[in-house]
Amino acid sequence: MFTLSPIGTMSGYNPQHDEKDGSCGLRPSVAIPSAAWVRNFWANPPRRKKPLKPTACQTIPLMPLGFRMWRHIRSVRGTGKDVFMDPFNDWQHDTTHGVPLGGIGCGAMGRGWRGEFRRYSTGKVPSGLVYITDDTPHTGFTICASSADETSGCMLLPKPSNSQTKNVRYLSADTKAQSHQLYPRAWHVYDTPTKMSTTSPQYLATCEQISPVIANNYKDSSLPTSAFEWTIENLSDQEIEVSIMFTVHNGTTLSQQLKGGEHTAPVSEAACVHMAHPIEGHPGSYALAAEGVVGEYTTGAPQVSTCAEWPAESFDTLYSEFLARKGKLPRKQTRQSGPSLGSKGGLGAVAARVKIPPKKTAKMCFSLSWDFPIVNFGASPRSYHLKYTEWYGRDGKASVALALLALRERGTWRDKIASWQQPVLDNPATPEWYKALLFNETYFLTSGGSLWTVDGGIHPSKDPAKDHVGHWLYLEGMEYRMHNTYDVHFYASFALAMLFPLLEKSVTRDIADCVLLEWTDTRTFLHSGTTGIRKAQHCVPHDVGGPTEEPWGKPNIYNIHDTSRWKDLPLKFVLMVYRDYIALGKDLEFLASMYEAIKKVLHVCRNSFDPEGCGMIQNEPWPDQTYDAWEAKGVTAYCGGLWLAALRVAEQAALLLKKNDDHEEFKKCLVRAQSVYSELWNPKGYYNYDSSKTSHSNSIMADQCCGEWYIKACGLPSVLPDGQAKTALKTVYTYNVKKFGWKAHQGDKGPKLRGAVNGMRPDGALDTSSMQSMECWTGTTFAVASHMLMEGLTGEGFDTAKGIYEGAYNMFGFWFSTPEAWLCDGSFRSLGYMRPLSVWSVQWGISLHERL
């Protein structure tokens, strides 16, 4: 195992704090990392961007695919199921998202950067993964401040557009408020939000949101719970009493799937409310809790109260009662079973209040948890159980215990999070924007439809390995609903490899098991209209399945192409096995267990994809790799380079495992392949896109040295002639990075960074031969930046990565929903995507000397 480590000052780059401060000037006493992304509550959001569409010329050849896709979608939905993707109904751009709540793989509850509770994926039901993005206007915090002269309060949210309340006061634009986001924590700071006049006592209220995502911690990181620690600083010269109410709406999320039985009830032995929430026969519940004492004030401890099963449509009344009682909740008759009151469900509420002397500080803490322990997919009767059930059972009644745990352990979690983040945050050689980018893009481990199960895999009856930590699933994207999409995971997997290497090991084992099997059910491939089997033996799957079918049991829900003939998948498997071997501390036993699968997939490649017997695989005249709408033909820079890298890895693995005959065979094949690949070298300093001699065959591909990048990450000898990778990356920086920025700002004094566009022509024009060639892919941009850093191109590497930060967090407003792709004007494709997790490959490059 390895830990994140700082490195010395890197030559060629001078990190400067040159970002505009997004705050409104509030400086609370709470310790907030300076690298956290900061935003003023009232800052004007970027204009909403539109999903990108192919040009007229690009549309014509896509029309047969479009017709077959439309027919497929209609057919699948006619059976009552949903499809894995729907390009005709894109998700709309939303600039409200923030650091999500909860651990990883346990369902997630989103929270906007202004405090809204939204984007839920806490329930899993037979119809697939439930993902609801609507706000719940009655879920949130309300504050009440009392002094000798006045009592006033407000709900700590800007007024929601769907709110129907009449007498509830929300945050006004006159209130100074700012948000700090640094996954898995966030802070919301308010300056006297209840202010009624110039004589109102001034105070600062800071809410620190803590979720237990901790690197290399395989227990706490799986828990579906979060804590909210409030710090109130009395800046006035008089005593004030501050009360905070936390309300949660039971019945808004997943309402379409409810079959009755939800109810809300207080927990007598603690300041906690339990909210039962069964879904289609599966047990489930939420709980919210407050720390303090029930009854009269005691020295130093907040007074807490609870209220259960209040009708949601009467939130106005609850709010008024809370203020009238100066922060103490009304008691209400509750029922232990039966449906919630009212047509809109019930509210649970907990509150705490405390008296604060002049110039003093007080703390209050709340928590929220959920417990949906059982997962089903599609019509399959097979059930899976989430990781945390190993400690908290499978009856769906653990939410109270989890909520109380968060109150007790929040300090420990805070310290552990700081411990694994601090080496990065303290590194003076990297800029502040990069630190915010690195941690905040990790949100996808929580919000990316992730599931961490105890049981699962291709062989559920197989005895687990001694270091087995369960099975991991996450979606390719919120719009592309395929689990563990492997060509994309190739880039994103650096996050798991660095933070949870045993989970990454589990993913690789599941893929290896799948490699050795075949699935012979036939389907129509939507791009070509031809038919074939779902997955051929000894081929690497595109994905392990989708939420509407049976993950692991039915891989390759993706049916646009016959991915058994994709050229990159087997090579990426080989490279990831070796990278995982490194991440696991050079685990030779793991490498040996993967060796049979490595040999099988490389054997298929040589026999099926080398038609000339020259030692080099060739792409067919259709998009047969991760760029699945960008055709490459013959010997290609992308897949050819991956082939060289895979042979280098196989050669090294054979050497380590003392497979001498295999070692010599792979070595000879590599030499032959290198000779063929060298013909792609362009005297202008890059590898041509492919050998097809078409009008775009000499385009400059940003990802052209992908194979060499992985070789460099693994510490193996280069597969390219000395200096050529560095020269190619300089060309990519000049054309794909800097000229792409110029395209967006004609007439400006200099380029504006936007990332690395996939394809550029040698004359500096965009490659418009396909929709994907003219896109900037956020995740591959990070891969290119990582490789630049490994080659000593430090300034160029950070500039390239900074383009994604500028686009996502400043210009376009894609924070916490970074898309797969964008154009220079911000039009986008596929929000909330897996591949940007490859930002961790940048950190891998920075920490390379510590690992090898």
Side-chain angles (χ1 to χ4, degrees):
M1 304 293 180
F2 57 84
T3 58
L4 303 183
S5 304
I7 63 172
T9 301
M10 293 182 286
S11 60
Y13 189 79
N14 181 24
Q16 297 180 359
H17 296 232
D18 57 355
E19 308 308 316
K20 293 181 179 179
D21 185 0
S23 75
C24 55
L26 300 181
R27 297 291 183 266
S29 63
V30 177
I32 302 176
S34 61
W37 178 65
V38 186
R39 189 161 180 84
N40 184 335
F41 267 43
W42 311 113
N44 291 325
R47 181 178 299 176
R48 288 190 175 188
K49 304 303 180 181
K50 295 181 179 180
L52 65 86
K53 300 296 181 184
T55 65
C57 292
Q58 294 164 356
T59 298
I60 294 173
L62 292 174
M63 289 178 69
L65 168 61
F67 173 72
R68 285 188 284 266
M69 175 69 78
W70 170 80
R71 190 170 57 184
H72 171 71
I73 291 171
R74 187 179 65 170
S75 173
V76 171
R77 286 184 171 153
T79 66
K81 295 196 300 184
D82 203 357
V83 290
F84 68 90
M85 65 183 297
D86 182 356
F88 305 108
N89 292 284
D90 301 290
W91 280 31
Q92 298 303 304
H93 181 206
D94 189 335
T95 61
T96 64
H97 301 303
V99 171
L101 305 176
I104 63 174
C106 56
M109 186 179 292
R111 195 170 184 221
W113 59 271
R114 294 195 297 184
E116 311 96 326
F117 287 76
R118 60 193 329 273
R119 197 160 72 178
Y120 297 77
S121 59
T122 54
K124 316 297 184 301
V125 297
S127 57
L129 180 74
V130 175
Y131 227 111
I132 294 180
T133 59
D134 295 338
D135 290 341
T136 50
H138 307 315
T139 296
F141 292 96
T142 299
I143 192 166
C144 172
S146 300
S147 65
D149 301 320
E150 66 181 36
T151 295
S152 59
C154 79
M155 193 168 190
L156 294 171
L157 292 172
K159 187 171 183 177
S161 59
N162 61 344
S163 173
Q164 298 179 357
T165 56
K166 297 179 180 179
N167 65 338
V168 175
R169 178 185 173 193
Y170 291 92
L171 283 176
S172 71
D174 296 331
T175 301
K176 287 185 177 182
Q178 66 194 38
S179 172
H180 303 249
Q181 307 277 311
L182 192 70
Y183 176 90
R185 292 190 291 167
W187 297 260
H188 299 84
V189 187
Y190 311 85
D191 182 359
T192 323
T194 58
K195 184 176 180 180
M196 297 292 289
S197 67
T198 57
T199 61
S200 297
Q202 185 183 13
Y203 62 93
L204 280 184
T206 303
C207 176
E208 179 182 4
Q209 171 186 314
I210 306 169
S211 296
V213 180
I214 304 160
N216 288 304
N217 183 320
Y218 294 89
K219 180 179 180 180
D220 292 342
S221 299
S222 73
L223 301 179
T225 188
S226 292
F228 307 90
E229 184 175 276
W230 284 87
T231 301
I232 312 297
E233 302 172 56
N234 184 359
L235 305 179
S236 73
D237 294 323
Q238 57 181 298
E239 181 181 79
I240 60 174
E241 183 179 59
V242 174
S243 310
I244 295 176
M245 173 176 68
F246 183 28
T247 52
V248 174
H249 191 170
N250 187 21
T252 297
T253 65
L254 313 174
S255 58
Q256 295 177 355
Q257 286 74 34
L258 291 176
K259 299 297 183 181
E262 46 162 333
H263 67 274
T264 307
V267 178
S268 58
E269 67 271 19
C272 184
V273 171
H274 174 256
M275 302 190 297
H277 199 102
I279 302 173
E280 291 195 0
H282 291 319
S285 62
Y286 295 95
L288 59 160
E291 184 178 70
V293 295
V294 178
E296 298 304 317
Y297 278 117
T298 60
T299 304
Q303 182 190 41
V304 296
S305 56
T306 64
C307 177
E309 213 165 59
W310 190 280
E313 54 260 47
S314 300
F315 176 73
D316 302 56
T317 307
L318 178 62
Y319 172 88
S320 299
E321 290 272 358
F322 173 67
L323 266 59
R325 295 166 178 263
K326 295 186 177 182
K328 187 172 182 180
L329 291 172
R331 300 297 295 173
K332 189 167 182 70
Q333 183 67 38
T334 61
R335 294 173 290 174
Q336 297 301 312
S337 62
S340 294
L341 299 176
S343 60
K344 296 183 180 180
L347 293 174
V350 291
R353 64 178 179 177
V354 65
K355 294 178 180 178
I356 312 172
K359 310 298 183 183
K360 297 294 183 180
T361 297
K363 290 185 181 292
M364 292 178 274
C365 190
F366 300 83
S367 63
L368 174 64
S369 66
W370 54 92
D371 179 19
F372 295 90
I374 300 174
V375 183
N376 283 97
F377 297 99
S380 171
R382 183 176 173 186
S383 294
Y384 303 87
H385 302 90
L386 296 183
K387 176 66 175 178
Y388 71 89
T389 62
E390 287 189 333
W391 303 283
Y392 289 92
R394 302 175 177 181
D395 60 5
K397 299 178 181 179
S399 57
V400 170
L402 289 163
L404 298 178
L405 178 76
L407 295 180
R408 293 194 306 271
E409 296 296 321
R410 68 184 189 276
T412 300
W413 292 343
R414 179 194 292 118
D415 293 343
K416 289 181 178 179
I417 292 168
S419 179
W420 72 265
Q421 289 188 337
Q422 213 61 48
V424 174
L425 298 178
D426 289 345
N427 186 356
T430 56
E432 295 292 276
W433 62 260
Y434 164 72
K435 299 166 186 177
L437 180 71
L438 177 70
F439 291 115
N440 285 336
E441 286 303 312
T442 315
Y443 85 95
F444 197 82
L445 292 183
T446 295
S447 286
S450 57
L451 293 172
W452 185 356
T453 65
V454 176
D455 33 23
I458 303 299
H459 304 297
S461 61
K462 184 178 178 180
D463 291 336
K466 60 185 179 182
D467 60 355
H468 180 65
V469 293
H471 297 269
W472 175 260
L473 294 173
Y474 60 163
L475 295 176
E476 179 179 335
M478 296 173 193
E479 297 184 70
Y480 295 176
R481 293 174 289 277
M482 297 162 276
H483 290 300
N484 296 2
T485 303
Y486 205 59
D487 57 304
V488 181
H489 179 69
F490 173 75
Y491 298 86
S493 61
F494 279 93
L496 286 182
M498 293 196 75
L499 303 178
F500 301 98
L502 294 182
L503 271 180
E504 168 58 19
K505 183 178 185 179
S506 175
V507 172
T508 303
R509 280 174 169 158
D510 285 341
I511 293 293
D513 286 342
C514 193
V515 162
L516 302 178
L517 302 175
E518 68 176 348
W519 280 260
T520 58
D521 49 309
T522 59
R523 74 246 297 257
T524 298
F525 300 113
L526 302 180
H527 180 269
S528 64
T530 60
T531 59
I533 65 172
R534 178 182 282 261
K535 184 202 162 297
Q537 189 177 31
H538 301 156
C539 293
V540 175
H542 171 274
D543 55 80
V544 298
T548 60
E549 290 190 341
E550 177 75 22
W552 299 299
K554 287 189 175 182
N556 284 353
I557 194 172
Y558 177 91
N559 63 347
I560 295 177
H561 297 290
D562 180 2
T563 57
S564 292
R565 295 197 63 81
W566 271 21
K567 310 306 180 290
D568 61 335
L569 287 171
L571 313 178
K572 289 174 175 177
F573 169 74
V574 174
L575 292 172
M576 275 192 274
V577 166
Y578 196 85
R579 192 278 318 276
D580 292 350
Y581 156 77
I582 296 293
L584 292 162
K586 298 189 175 180
D587 184 343
L588 202 59
E589 183 180 350
F590 166 74
L591 186 63
S593 71
M594 296 290 110
Y595 189 71
E596 180 187 1
I598 288 176
K599 285 192 63 177
K600 295 290 187 184
V601 300
L602 292 180
H603 179 76
V604 168
C605 286
R606 291 179 63 179
N607 288 347
S608 303
F609 307 143
D610 180 11
E612 299 177 4
C614 62
M616 170 56 71
I617 65 168
Q618 298 190 32
N619 288 79
E620 299 172 74
W622 53 276
D624 53 355
Q625 27 71 34
T626 194
Y627 297 89
D628 60 352
W630 189 8
E631 181 181 304
K633 183 179 179 182
V635 180
T636 66
Y638 185 70
C639 289
L642 288 170
W643 174 245
L644 299 182
L647 289 174
R648 174 70 82 201
V649 160
E651 172 195 352
Q652 181 67 13
L655 180 66
L656 291 170
L657 298 172
K658 297 181 172 53
K659 309 285 186 180
N660 297 332
D661 291 343
D662 291 346
H663 173 256
E664 289 302 316
E665 182 182 357
F666 290 132
K667 187 175 181 179
K668 291 177 182 178
C669 187
L670 174 58
V671 172
R672 295 176 64 208
Q674 286 172 315
S675 176
V676 176
Y677 190 76
S678 65
E679 297 175 10
L680 289 178
W681 183 251
N682 190 304
K684 293 184 178 181
Y686 66 95
Y687 286 94
N688 287 331
Y689 180 65
D690 65 22
S691 62
S692 66
K693 306 304 181 184
T694 60
S695 61
H696 65 277
S697 65
N698 64 340
S699 286
I700 305 165
M701 185 187 195
D703 211 9
Q704 62 185 270
C705 293
C706 184
E708 177 72 7
W709 163 56
Y710 244 73
I711 285 296
K712 197 81 173 180
C714 293
L716 294 175
S718 173
V719 293
L720 303 177
D722 287 347
Q724 280 195 358
K726 190 171 186 177
T727 298
L729 289 170
K730 288 181 177 179
T731 302
V732 167
Y733 178 71
T734 300
Y735 283 81
N736 302 65
V737 177
K738 294 182 72 175
K739 291 186 183 297
F740 182 56
W742 273 106
K743 300 301 176 185
H745 279 261
Q746 296 291 350
D748 281 8
K749 294 180 180 180
K752 301 296 182 181
L753 298 170
R754 297 287 191 282
V757 69
N758 285 337
M760 286 289 273
R761 302 292 300 137
D763 63 359
L766 284 175
D767 182 340
T768 59
S769 60
S770 83
M771 184 172 72
Q772 290 179 345
S773 63
M774 58 192 288
E775 294 175 341
C776 165
W777 282 13
T778 54
T780 56
T781 293
F782 289 140
V784 172
S786 168
H787 193 183
M788 288 175 173
L789 292 175
M790 294 176 192
E791 293 287 350
L793 301 174
T794 310
E796 294 89 337
F798 278 122
D799 271 356
T800 300
K802 188 177 182 180
I804 305 304
Y805 176 82
E806 289 287 354
Y809 290 84
N810 287 333
M811 290 177 287
F812 303 148
F814 290 129
W815 43 77
F816 304 98
S817 58
T818 308
E820 157 76 318
W822 61 51
L823 302 185
C824 58
D825 64 357
S827 53
F828 64 90
R829 182 170 57 81
S830 188
L831 287 170
Y833 200 72
M834 178 199 295
R835 205 182 320 246
L837 281 172
S838 61
V839 67
W840 281 93
S841 71
V842 178
Q843 187 61 29
W844 181 286
I846 291 172
S847 303
L848 187 62
H849 76 293
E850 290 289 332
R851 295 196 300 274
L852 297 176

